[in-house]
Amino acid sequence: MNDLHVYQQYFAGECEYNGVPRKAAAVSLTASSGGGQIRYAVQITFFPHEDAEDYRITYDAFAEEVLYEAAGRRSKKREQVFLAELREHADVLAAKLGGSIYWEQPLIEARLG
């Protein structure tokens, strides 16, 4: 399958995972397609972000929720619906990891694909 970040942005956040304090979260909506199938998923990863230059993404504090999987192809209309619901799904995933995403404190501009 080919993966594409429909949306990706980093935010300040808080989480302790595997004994390591995390101060930021990478949030993305990913579209995966191949073989006539399409899959959309929300993904979050908490990472240390020890200073303004530190963007070492770690993948041990990772969670994913599949929003849609079926035969078909990318749909901009469907993506807009998923983007509107993204924060709600990401907050649930963050809570499962014991963390919080500070939506009002973006660390980088949103990347749209």
Side-chain angles (χ1 to χ4, degrees):
M1 290 204 139
N2 296 321
D3 293 337
L4 170 75
H5 287 297
V6 174
Y7 166 87
Q8 184 176 43
Q9 192 167 12
Y10 300 167
F11 295 90
E14 185 175 6
C15 182
E16 184 166 327
Y17 199 84
N18 285 337
V20 178
R22 316 300 169 104
K23 298 176 186 169
V27 179
S28 63
L29 172 64
T30 303
S32 302
S33 64
Q37 297 288 315
I38 185 71
R39 175 183 182 266
Y40 287 96
V42 173
Q43 301 170 332
I44 67 165
T45 302
F46 284 99
F47 60 99
H49 195 60
E50 294 173 353
D51 60 52
E53 302 296 319
D54 181 15
Y55 288 95
R56 295 173 293 146
I57 304 297
T58 56
Y59 291 97
D60 58 341
F62 172 84
E64 176 182 67
E65 179 183 356
V66 176
L67 302 178
Y68 180 85
E69 189 167 14
R73 58 185 183 178
R74 280 186 71 188
S75 163
K76 295 289 184 180
K77 189 174 183 178
R78 187 179 300 125
E79 289 173 5
Q80 291 305 312
V81 171
F82 295 148
L83 284 170
E85 301 170 349
L86 180 101
R87 289 184 178 194
E88 179 182 329
H89 292 286
D91 283 338
V92 170
L93 293 172
K96 288 180 181 178
L97 293 171
S100 299
I101 301 167
Y102 302 144
W103 298 106
E104 68 284 351
Q105 297 177 37
L107 300 175
I108 63 169
E109 294 294 320
R111 298 176 192 162
L112 302 172

